Amino acid sequence: MDCIFCKIVEGILPSRKVYEDEEIVAFHDIEPLAPVHLLVIPKRHIPSLEAATAEDAELLGRLMLAAQRVAREAGLADKGYRVATNTGPDAGQLVFHLHLHVLGGDKLGNPVSRIQHD
Ligand code: 5GP
Ligand code: ZN
């Protein structure tokens, strides 16, 4: 399958991994938007949150807890962090393999505070 994140899961593409278990991998984003910018992904290819179903409920919970874990390990627990998943074109999703962004390490601009028009 022609998916960058599946290739990272398979080890065909390199990544700076910070966490891995049977179902999940977390690694540094290649173009960080904050001092800490990690991506948490399921090993199984799910294109986006929009493609998830009730059968994925446990996996989705585990992804959130993996995000909490890597955020803590990156030292973000006290000052805080953001977990976000871009879903579809209006959100600017570029990689169609479900991923949680974990952002922190500085004050973050708030993308959900108001709608931005061009
Ligand atoms: P989104 O699909 O939510 O817009 O974002 C995809 C994210 O994946 C971007 O932040 C981008 O920098 C990151 N990314 C794209 N290709 C690679 C890659 O090959 N390796 C890593 N580590 N991150 C990537
Ligand atoms: Zn994939």
Side-chain angles (χ1 to χ4, degrees), residues 1 3-9 23-27 29 38-64 66-67 83-88 91 93-102:
M1 178 179 293
C3 167
I4 302 171
F5 288 176
C6 280
K7 287 179 181 160
I8 285 176
V9 168
E23 294 180 305
I24 293 168
V25 185
F27 50 90
D29 195 290
L38 303 169
L39 300 172
V40 180
I41 73 170
K43 288 185 171 175
R44 182 157 57 84
H45 183 87
I46 300 171
S48 77
L49 183 61
E50 190 51 32
T53 69
E55 288 179 6
D56 302 316
E58 192 172 332
L59 176 60
L60 293 172
R62 288 185 199 277
L63 286 166
M64 290 297 274
V83 178
T85 184
N86 293 324
T87 306
Q93 185 178 1
L94 295 173
V95 177
F96 283 81
H97 180 130
L98 177 63
H99 51 282
L100 302 181
H101 294 261
V102 178

